[in-house]
Amino acid sequence: MTPIEAATVPGPAPVAPQQDTPPPVQTLPIRFTGSGSEYFRIWIVNLLLTLVTFSLYWPFARARRIAYFQNNTLVGDDPLGFHGDPWKMFRGYIVVMVLAIAYGALSETVPAVAAVLLLLFALVWPALWRASLQFRLRNTSWRGVRMAFVGDLKGAYGALLPFFVPALVLVLFLPDVASDEKPSPEASRRVLWVLGAVAVYTLAVLPWCFARLKRYQHGSYLFAGERTELRAGNGRFYGLLARVIGLLLLVVALVIGVVALIAYSGGPGARMLGFFAAIGVLYLLMPLIVVPYATVALQNLVWANTRTRHTRFRSELRFGTLFRLTLVNWLLIVCTLGLYWPFAQVRTARARLECMALQVKGDVDSWMARAQVRQGGVLGDAAGDFFGIDVGL
């Protein structure tokens, strides 16, 4: 073979470099299988026993309620589990009840001591809130693997203490005027300045405070060795507050317009009737329109931005869905004198859960099997809660 012929003989085709293919993404829908009739039986027994025991049965009733809703919440085809000890919840309830009774008694006899007790309770509140999150997550499982809350105590105080600033300002700077005395002009001006400062602080800082709170809460969940994080900046929370305030102003403007029309077309009696009608309509429209809108916006914002290295949530709750559901629930609760309440809770839970899904990268079965080996199964040690209690926060 000549050199020219050898050069023209085709050789093996070059092998293309292998590229790592991303793992497939599995979408696990979230479903709720509870029914109103089943939960009604649990609810009515809980209510009767709570009344008979003068509220001492309430922690046990709460444990039954949580277990029912979690056991009927399916992620994929597997339900959540709840393993909380009602006696630990009872201890936490007793702590809060004793503090509340002590404050109520001392506020009538020794107001100064009651104020100190209230301050101490406010200081320990973030620790109790963190303890409740630890208890709830540590006693929740999926596919035999327990969840956990790993937020530290410093983060709990950093997330909650900014909410106490308005109350602290009111206590420290509002003038002390007896109920039977007429406030002086200086005291009245001081009250207006303090209330104005609190209002400005609330509007300017509340979204930032709420963003810190949700980042601490949704950034401290641990499951199968992966810690969640909330990828939502402060601007998203400021935008949410702006939309809620805009809707609130629109509702108020609509009601004022109707009242003005009634006042213009009628006499003094019609104006008085329009005034009271406006108060009633506002009282109904706020929780019927503004609250569902804020609930939808907050759920979609928080859960759609909560994720780990291999998982993320999807939340597509719609305002129209929750608005219609709230309207029907209210009408039926009023018509049944409150007996429709457990059915309304089941319908609301189904609507809010079934608009969500969990997306997982890779094989779910192998991921969960590794987590079970590390953890030792669902019966792993659940000790280590702060005081080992739940205070229902």
Side-chain angles (χ1 to χ4, degrees):
M1 182 181 294
T2 63
I4 296 178
E5 292 173 338
T8 58
V9 174
V15 179
Q18 295 184 352
Q19 296 181 352
D20 294 333
T21 58
V25 177
Q26 299 186 46
T27 299
L28 305 178
I30 298 177
R31 295 184 294 118
F32 185 73
T33 59
S35 69
S37 57
E38 287 179 348
Y39 181 57
F40 177 83
R41 292 191 291 270
I42 297 174
W43 174 79
I44 196 68
V45 171
N46 285 345
L47 178 62
L48 293 175
L49 291 177
T50 301
L51 293 175
V52 169
T53 60
F54 300 100
S55 82
L56 292 179
Y57 187 76
W58 183 81
F60 301 91
R62 184 168 177 269
R64 292 186 65 197
R65 178 176 59 84
I66 294 173
Y68 178 79
F69 277 91
Q70 291 195 179
N71 293 340
N72 284 282
T73 300
L74 274 61
V75 181
D77 294 322
D78 300 286
L80 298 177
F82 181 69
H83 317 278
D85 182 359
W87 286 103
K88 289 186 176 181
M89 303 173 73
F90 180 76
R91 295 207 311 259
Y93 178 70
I94 292 298
V95 169
V96 175
M97 187 171 67
V98 168
L99 290 174
I101 293 175
Y103 173 75
L106 292 173
S107 62
E108 297 295 332
T109 57
V110 191
V113 177
V116 173
L117 182 63
L118 183 62
L119 178 61
L120 292 176
F121 188 59
L123 290 177
V124 78
W125 190 262
L128 295 176
W129 175 62
R130 172 176 172 261
S132 292
L133 291 172
Q134 286 180 318
F135 183 92
R136 181 69 176 270
L137 268 294
R138 195 167 297 209
N139 289 288
T140 298
S141 67
W142 184 65
R143 284 197 174 189
V145 177
R146 296 243 185 169
M147 303 179 188
F149 185 81
V150 294
D152 58 11
L153 196 58
K154 178 181 177 182
Y157 277 91
L160 279 183
L161 284 183
F163 287 96
F164 297 157
V165 171
L168 184 62
V169 170
L170 293 177
V171 170
L172 294 179
F173 296 102
L174 277 182
D176 187 11
V177 179
S179 58
D180 56 346
E181 294 181 4
K182 183 178 180 179
S184 64
E186 293 79 8
S188 300
R189 284 194 296 269
R190 186 175 177 182
V191 168
L192 291 177
W193 275 106
V194 171
L195 294 180
V198 169
V200 170
Y201 173 88
T202 301
L203 290 176
V205 182
L206 183 62
W208 172 80
C209 296
F210 211 76
R212 283 172 56 87
L213 177 71
K214 287 301 178 182
R215 271 197 292 269
Y216 171 76
Q217 185 178 357
H218 283 251
S220 302
Y221 299 145
L222 185 70
F223 181 71
E226 295 193 6
R227 181 172 178 170
T228 58
E229 63 174 326
L230 179 60
R231 297 182 182 178
N234 296 335
R236 304 283 296 275
F237 288 88
Y238 277 95
L240 189 153
L241 179 63
R243 294 194 300 273
V244 171
I245 291 177
L247 179 61
L248 177 64
L249 294 177
L250 180 62
V251 171
V252 172
L254 179 63
V255 173
I256 290 176
V258 172
V259 173
L261 182 62
I262 295 175
Y264 179 77
S265 59
R271 286 195 292 269
M272 183 63 66
L273 178 63
F275 175 76
F276 287 110
I279 295 177
V281 171
L282 279 175
Y283 183 79
L284 290 175
L285 291 184
M286 292 305 171
L288 190 60
I289 295 179
V290 179
V291 173
Y293 179 82
T295 300
V296 168
L298 183 62
Q299 173 173 319
N300 292 339
L301 170 62
V302 171
W303 281 109
N305 291 281
T306 299
R307 62 195 65 188
T308 70
R309 189 163 53 95
H310 288 97
T311 65
R312 64 174 297 176
F313 287 91
R314 193 177 68 201
S315 179
E316 298 174 349
L317 184 60
R318 296 290 179 262
F319 168 69
T321 301
L322 194 59
F323 169 74
R324 291 190 297 270
L325 179 63
T326 304
L327 178 61
V328 173
N329 285 344
W330 275 33
L331 291 175
L332 292 176
I333 288 173
V334 171
C335 292
T336 60
L337 301 179
L339 293 178
Y340 190 77
W341 176 257
F343 297 87
Q345 287 188 304
V346 167
R347 294 185 64 199
T348 303
R350 179 175 290 111
R352 295 188 63 177
L353 287 170
E354 294 191 350
C355 70
M356 297 180 63
L358 176 66
Q359 296 179 325
V360 183
K361 289 191 295 185
D363 181 50
V364 178
D365 293 332
S366 60
W367 176 47
M368 296 304 299
R370 291 193 299 269
Q372 284 179 323
V373 171
R374 287 195 302 268
Q375 191 182 64
V378 72
L379 298 178
D381 183 20
D385 300 333
F386 178 73
F387 295 141
I389 63 174
D390 171 72
V391 292
L393 305 182

